[in-house]
Amino acid sequence: MEDRSFSCHIAQALEAQQRFRASRPPFTPAASLAVEEERLSAVLRSLEERLTDNYPFFHPSYAGQMLKPPHPAATAAYLMAMQINPNNHARDGGPATAALELESVAAIARMFGFETHLGHLTSSGTIANLEALWVARSLHPERSIAFSSNAHYTHGRMCQVLGVKGIVLDSFDRFEEAVRTHDIGTVVVTLGTTSTGELEPLAALLPAARRLGVRVHIDAAYGGFFTLLSQGNAPSVEPSGFSLVRECDSVVVDPHKHALQPYGCGCVLFRDPAVGRFYKHDSPYTYFTTAELHLGEISLECSRAGAAAAALWATLQCFPLERHRGLGPVLQECRDAALSFSALLAGSALLAQYRPPELDIVTYLPRTAPFTATAVTAMTDDIFTTLMNDPADPVYLATLSVPSDAVRKYHPSFVPDAPTTRILRSVLMKPEHAPYVPELFRRVENEVRRRTEQM
Ligand SMILES: *Cc1c(COP(=O)(O)O)cnc(C)c1O
């Protein structure tokens, strides 16, 4: 969207608020709330200055962590609703945004193929996962919760919060044995791990989990929207896991990661609406005007931005959850960026691939001589810092620590002379990354070339 049209939409959001206010008799704003125009203007100028201390998340040269600005549609819609400041903790905190939330959540449930669901937005993926694990604990109070060593670090922490035993599985290979040994009541399967975008083997686990009465929770905070690319007869991401989410007990997806939203927008869905019974509370503060369970009755959190629901709803109107229009093509460009980066790695004498990308996250390392964990770690750190501090045209990557044995699995000539190796990682989560890949690759390769020529 051009800047000019964006300004028009921001103006539209502000005018909407003026029209809404004009519907009531005028009143005098409190003098105590007044701020001198000059003063606010100066404060905003200094805020602008302070905010320059950020990496350029909006630019394709930022190819580091999972960070990018929201879509202008989300920003304009958020601003429009935020001036009213509805609170989606209860229907009466903002009936309009509560309805927008239910519609948006239903669209996400349809994307996963859920025939029934109970769900809502949350302020983050962490809280959404906490909620799923909390329901899991309510159903299996004595049993443990298992997740892999690649699961998001907050699962272990949330098990502590809940007072549940969390079991870390190094692999899912001997899952049945682990279920018996540790009395596992729930397993967390990550579709799109945070570090590498790995899709954990849901298809292999689900039958055993069902047979053993183990609940299955899907953490698709990062990867969930890639479901769209797993559909149709020419899927561009592996469909075997995504097609089974509909049979699992709960799933988490973060619209603030891959659905163009500002932070403050996670989502949890349960397949069985009857889990709503666990949320029962008797707050004297919330208000009940409908017979149906309202948002405040099915959510662990209390206050939550109604504006987040408005932003998501508006975004989904512009970018429906479809494979060939709307969000699908946006994600496809990110996927294509990862695939072309991976193809360049395959033909490179200077850089090697760590894991083949399953989504849009690429992991790679310099082919140092000697090809050891220590040398790779040192050059990774050096390249990372040098590119970021390039005075003319900085490029931002991320680094990732991986077990050295895992590197050796892909590269038999690699010498694991330290337990872990630091490698490079790029989350190519902006569609603008697709055309930038050749330049990004060239810049990283050049750094390796300069250093290997000096060796
Ligand atoms: C990002 C992420 C989380 C945590 O979500 P937040 O929204 O950052 O709290 C959990 N699981 C996975 C797989 C993630 O990628």
Side-chain angles (χ1 to χ4, degrees):
M1 206 179 291
E2 298 162 37
D3 284 352
R4 208 179 61 82
S5 89
F6 183 45
S7 306
C8 292
H9 297 307
I10 293 300
Q12 194 180 347
L14 299 175
E15 287 156 16
Q17 177 61 6
Q18 283 161 9
R19 282 192 288 271
F20 183 60
R21 292 193 170 209
S23 68
R24 301 297 304 152
F27 64 98
T28 316
S32 58
L33 294 174
V35 181
E36 263 175 62
E37 225 176 282
E38 271 302 293
R39 173 83 191 123
L40 180 54
S41 189
V43 168
L44 290 177
R45 274 197 304 277
S46 62
L47 175 61
E48 179 179 347
E49 173 59 32
R50 296 285 292 266
L51 288 176
T52 59
D53 185 16
N54 266 304
Y55 301 121
F57 304 137
F58 65 92
H59 197 272
S61 64
Y62 183 84
Q65 311 282 2
M66 295 169 173
L67 291 157
K68 66 173 178 183
H71 192 277
T75 306
Y78 198 103
L79 177 62
M80 189 183 280
M82 183 256 271
Q83 295 168 93
I84 298 169
N85 210 18
N87 186 337
N88 277 16
H89 82 289
R91 194 181 166 279
D92 292 1
T97 46
L100 297 175
E101 175 164 334
L102 294 173
E103 281 176 43
S104 305
V105 168
I108 293 173
R110 273 196 303 278
M111 174 183 78
F112 286 122
F114 275 33
E115 279 166 17
T116 55
H117 75 275
L118 182 82
H120 58 89
L121 301 179
T122 60
S123 44
S124 72
T126 302
I127 296 295
N129 277 316
L130 170 65
E131 194 154 327
L133 299 190
W134 173 70
V135 165
R137 188 196 65 175
S138 306
L139 284 158
H140 298 304
E142 306 300 331
R143 299 169 72 183
S144 58
I145 296 178
F147 40 87
S148 85
S149 47
N150 290 321
H152 198 264
Y153 73 94
T154 49
H155 290 289
R157 184 184 279 180
M158 290 310 164
C159 283
Q160 281 185 354
V161 170
L162 292 167
V164 178
K165 195 158 171 216
I167 304 289
V168 181
L169 304 174
D170 283 328
S171 97
F172 287 113
D173 289 348
R174 297 214 302 261
F175 178 62
E176 300 212 26
E177 194 184 313
V179 171
R180 294 198 183 92
T181 316
H182 302 290
D183 191 18
I184 293 167
T186 300
V187 62
V188 178
V189 180
T190 306
L191 291 182
T193 58
T194 314
S195 51
T196 66
E198 176 184 350
L199 304 173
E200 293 187 332
L202 177 59
L205 284 172
L206 191 60
R210 283 287 167 260
R211 199 167 58 250
L212 300 167
V214 173
R215 270 180 83 76
V216 180
H217 169 61
I218 303 299
D219 183 358
Y222 187 74
F225 290 102
F226 283 94
T227 297
L228 297 172
L229 304 190
S230 75
Q231 295 166 349
N233 45 20
S236 65
V237 307
E238 174 55 40
S240 59
F242 286 118
S243 65
L244 291 172
V245 171
R246 58 188 302 171
E247 295 176 32
C248 298
D249 298 290
S250 51
V251 58
V252 158
V253 60
D254 264 354
H256 69 204
K257 283 199 181 128
H258 248 311
L260 312 171
Q261 298 309 293
Y263 286 118
C265 196
C267 176
V268 63
L269 292 171
F270 297 93
R271 191 165 50 94
D272 177 9
V275 302
R277 68 188 183 278
F278 295 119
Y279 294 88
K280 204 166 171 355
H281 67 86
D282 266 327
S283 161
Y285 310 109
T286 43
Y287 8 109
F288 300 88
T289 53
T290 51
E292 263 182 67
L293 282 177
H294 63 61
L295 286 169
E297 289 172 305
I298 55 159
S299 132
L300 209 51
E301 292 174 90
C302 186
S303 295
R304 212 156 38 68
L312 179 59
W313 179 87
T315 306
L316 295 183
Q317 302 305 302
C318 303
F319 296 91
L321 299 176
E322 290 177 28
R323 169 93 207 265
H324 296 293
R325 65 181 193 118
L327 197 64
V330 176
L331 295 178
Q332 185 62 55
E333 287 179 278
C334 303
R335 175 73 180 135
D336 289 344
L339 289 175
S340 57
F341 197 94
S342 174
L344 290 170
L345 286 170
S348 172
L350 297 165
L351 285 166
Q353 174 156 274
Y354 172 57
R355 259 189 131 261
E358 291 182 81
L359 299 177
D360 59 355
I361 302 172
V362 289
T363 47
Y364 48 106
L365 54 149
R367 291 183 190 271
T368 56
F371 197 29
T372 62
T374 329
V376 168
T377 297
M379 198 184 285
T380 292
D381 288 348
D382 193 19
I383 292 175
F384 169 75
T385 337
T386 306
L387 281 175
M388 185 165 84
N389 293 310
D390 186 303
D393 190 6
V395 168
Y396 304 86
L397 311 173
T399 63
L400 174 70
S401 279
V402 296
S404 296
D405 290 343
V407 182
R408 196 184 163 85
K409 223 175 60 196
Y410 294 103
H411 302 286
S413 66
F414 179 78
V415 182
D417 66 345
T420 60
T421 306
R422 208 146 42 244
I423 63 168
L424 293 162
R425 165 173 171 267
S426 287
V427 179
L428 303 176
M429 72 184 311
K430 293 185 286 269
E432 293 88 356
H433 278 132
Y436 184 74
V437 158
E439 167 71 2
L440 176 66
F441 194 80
R442 189 186 63 80
R443 291 291 301 277
V444 185
E445 238 192 358
N446 275 348
E447 293 301 320
V448 184
R449 185 173 298 112
R450 268 183 35 214
R451 286 167 179 78
T452 39
E453 277 165 6
Q454 285 165 9
M455 270 179 184

